[in-house]
């Protein structure tokens, strides 16, 4: 298995250039390429994924080559020992981004294994997807990364969140109990164990189903602005018992911050602007009502949930009901911003949707929107289809008769039904339509097309159809 240094030399090392001459022409051409310092050949973006790397290699040579590296991709290698990873990072003091995904780093990182003086002052983005890293190691890494802004912890099989050192020590004492018995967020953890720099967190595909666990992320990262929870089987945002499910979450921000017994789903996410809940297990509109209480939420993705399994709504109706329930959300499921007209239409449609339902079935948002738009009249069901039957005057020579006619009949069918009235067969018949309002302006219009339906002439009651016979050709 190669070291990082060996993989680096194999990919970016110097290669000799041989001179080749043309034997046919007898001319030998030599090209002189000046030797370059190997450090210059290593780019600031270093991609060495899937290279079977297991160790760092000789440190002095590594720092000579990689001192200027700012982005490092080591995904899908064979790294499994944290001191080796730290040995790599120590040789890249300017590193801003590192991807360690799909390296098996499940072995706990002990604080004794790392120099406590280490600080990655430039590191902004750390990707640890599918590394099986444990929470103790995550805590240590966060302590060494004071400027970290974006953290990826997806696909690590987390069933809970344990970023509180106090609770972790208690768990070590309580051996044999459920490993996920952390009682956070306690007041101690809220005040002490905070990582203020983290603004973006990706937590996709972890089997966490309780929102009380997700809230711990908010208390650990109080400045979090973006949280991705796609493919996490979250059942509900409500942490209370079934008997207390109807309790409202209308407290002000100051109340939320001051109350030690905070239990609303948004208490720990005061600055969250973007939330992705795609493919969660949220199954009713009450969850959307809870999302509307997040004070800073502007962008929401919530597709692929059991809530949408019902065929009660069209896609358009579903979007309207979502927009109306989420007054602060500016972008829903991607795409552009929600325009003022779309929001107003959605809110009016929401009122009309619930106005005929029992008062007990109306959500709180209904009263709020009535206060904005007032009580609306039901929409009038305007049928723009033509009348099915009209009364038309038929004239053939000096004979006239008023008949009721189905406007969906074709001209050919009408001729057949007029044979007895006209006294000659349909094959010899010509029909002329006379609009009662345009009689003096444009005169009769011949109905030439046998398969054309009568309504396409805009025929109405009171109009006239003249029946005439085809003139025989006079032989010369």
């Amino acid at each position: 298995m190669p070291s990082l240094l060996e993989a680096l030399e194999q990919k970016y090392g110097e290669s000799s250039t041989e001179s080749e001459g043309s034997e046919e022409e007898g001319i030998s051409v030599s090209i002189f390429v000046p030797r370059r310092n190997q450090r210059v050949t290593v780019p600031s973006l270093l991609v060495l994924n899937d290279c079977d790397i297991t160790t760092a290699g000789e440190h002095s040579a590594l720092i000579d080559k990689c001192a200027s590296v700012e982005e490092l991709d080591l995904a899908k290698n064979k790294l499994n020992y944290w001191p080796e990873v730290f040995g790599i990072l120590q040789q890249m003091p300017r590193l801003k981004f590192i991807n360690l995904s799909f390296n098996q780093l499940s072995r706990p990182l002990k604080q004794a294994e790392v120099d406590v003086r280490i600080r990655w002052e430039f590191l902004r983005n750390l990707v640890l997807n599918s590394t099986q890293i444990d929470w103790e190691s995550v805590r240590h890494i966060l302590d060494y990364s004071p400027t970290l802004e974006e953290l990826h912890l997806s696909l690590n099989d987390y069933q809970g969140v344990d970023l509180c050192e106090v609770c972790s020590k208690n768990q070590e004492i309580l051996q044999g109990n459920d490993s996920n018995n952390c009682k956070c967020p306690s007041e101690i953890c809220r005040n002490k164990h905070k990582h203020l720099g983290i603004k973006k967190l990706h937590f996709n595909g972890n089997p966490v189903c309780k929102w009380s666990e997700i809230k711990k992320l908010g208390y650990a990262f109080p400045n979090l602005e973006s949280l991705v929870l796609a493919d996490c089987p979250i059942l509900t945002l409500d942490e209370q018992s079934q008997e207390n499910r109807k309790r409202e979450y209308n407290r002000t921000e100051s109340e939320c911050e001051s109350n030690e017994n905070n239990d609303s789903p948004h208490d720990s996410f005061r600055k969250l602007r973007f939330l992705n809940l795609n493919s969660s297990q949220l199954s009713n509109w009450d969850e959307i009502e809870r999302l509307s209480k997040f004070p800073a939420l502007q962008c929401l993705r919530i597709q692929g949930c059991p809530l949408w399994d019902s065929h009660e709504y069209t896609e358009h109706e579903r979007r309207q009901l979502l927009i109306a329930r989420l007054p602060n959300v500016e972008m829903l499921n991607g795409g552009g911003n929600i325009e003022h007209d779309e929001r107003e239409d959605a809110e009016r449609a929401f009122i009309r949707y619930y106005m005929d339902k029992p008062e007990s079935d109306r959500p709180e948002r209904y009263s709020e929107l009535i206060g904005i738009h007032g009580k609306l009249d039901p929409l009038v069901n305007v049928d723009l289809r033509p009348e099915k039957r009209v009364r038309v005057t038929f004239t053939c020579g000096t004979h006239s008769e008023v008949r009721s006619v189905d406007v969906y009949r074709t001209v050919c069918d009408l001729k057949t039904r007029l044979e007895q009235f006209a006294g000659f067969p349909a094959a010899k018949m010509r029909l002329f339509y006379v609009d009662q309002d345009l009689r003096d302006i444009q005169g009769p219009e011949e109905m030439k097309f046998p398969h054309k339906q009568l309504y396409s002439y805009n025929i109405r009651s009171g109009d006239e159809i003249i029946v005439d016979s085809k003139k025989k050709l006079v032989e010369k």
Side-chain angles (χ1 to χ4, degrees), residues 73-276:
D73 186 352
L74 290 175
K76 298 182 179 180
N77 280 291
K78 306 295 184 183
L79 294 165
N80 58 13
Y81 187 48
W82 274 109
E84 288 294 334
V85 176
F86 277 69
I88 293 172
L89 300 183
Q90 283 180 274
Q91 316 314 318
M92 302 180 185
R94 296 184 179 276
L95 202 62
K96 298 178 181 178
F97 169 93
I98 182 170
N99 182 4
L100 294 169
S101 298
F102 300 98
N103 288 277
Q104 291 304 307
L105 296 167
S106 57
R107 176 178 172 177
L109 170 63
K110 301 299 182 182
Q111 194 162 3
E113 296 176 328
V114 186
D115 187 341
V116 295
R117 296 169 298 177
I118 291 176
R119 289 292 182 273
W120 299 317
E121 300 292 346
F122 290 89
L123 190 62
R124 301 286 188 272
N125 193 317
L126 176 60
V127 185
L128 296 169
N129 297 333
S130 194
T131 56
Q132 311 307 310
I133 181 174
D134 68 318
W135 285 111
E136 181 182 1
S137 301
V138 173
R139 291 197 302 272
H140 289 322
I141 291 173
L142 289 172
D143 290 338
Y144 300 131
S145 312
T147 60
L148 195 65
E149 296 178 356
E150 183 169 343
L151 178 62
H152 295 245
L153 293 173
S154 300
L155 302 171
N156 281 319
D157 294 327
Y158 295 137
Q159 296 186 10
V161 176
D162 183 10
L163 283 167
C164 173
E165 186 176 357
V166 173
C167 289
S168 295
K169 290 180 178 179
N170 291 338
Q171 289 179 19
E172 292 177 4
I173 298 173
L174 299 172
Q175 293 182 357
N177 291 346
D178 181 6
S179 61
N180 186 28
N181 58 7
C182 174
K183 300 303 180 184
C184 290
S186 67
E187 192 65 24
I188 296 176
C189 295
R190 292 182 197 178
N191 295 331
K192 182 177 180 180
H193 300 282
K194 290 185 177 182
H195 305 276
L196 303 179
I198 301 293
K199 295 183 178 180
K200 295 182 179 181
L201 176 63
H202 291 252
F203 204 71
N204 303 21
N206 288 302
V208 178
C209 59
K210 295 181 180 179
W211 190 256
S212 57
E213 296 299 314
I214 299 298
K215 280 180 62 176
K216 297 175 188 177
L217 297 171
Y219 286 114
F221 310 128
N223 291 324
L224 197 64
E225 296 179 359
S226 175
L227 177 60
V228 182
L229 299 171
D231 296 304
C232 293
I234 298 167
L235 298 172
T236 178
L237 277 67
D238 188 4
E239 306 163 49
Q240 303 176 65
S241 62
Q242 291 289 340
E243 299 89 290
N244 297 323
R245 291 245 172 194
K246 293 186 178 180
R247 180 177 174 181
E248 298 179 353
Y249 300 105
N250 270 336
R251 291 172 294 167
T252 65
E253 182 171 348
S254 59
E255 289 174 325
C256 290
E257 293 292 344
S258 62
N259 191 345
E260 295 185 1
N261 298 316
N262 291 334
D263 56 3
S264 73
H266 59 275
D267 280 331
S268 63
F269 297 107
R270 309 307 304 172
K271 297 184 179 181
L272 192 67
R273 298 175 63 251
F274 174 88
L275 178 61
N276 187 331

Side-chain angles (χ1 to χ4, degrees), residues 417-456:
R417 292 176 177 273
L418 290 173
E419 286 182 337
Q420 185 175 359
F421 170 75
F424 47 87
K428 298 182 178 182
M429 195 178 296
R430 299 173 68 191
L431 301 182
F432 296 87
Y433 167 62
V434 181
D435 188 313
Q436 56 188 311
D437 296 328
L438 302 175
R439 180 187 300 271
D440 298 329
I441 300 174
Q442 68 179 26
E445 176 186 357
E446 184 172 1
M447 305 168 78
K448 295 180 179 181
F449 305 102
H451 298 295
K452 192 173 182 179
Q453 291 179 300
L454 300 182
Y455 75 81
S456 62

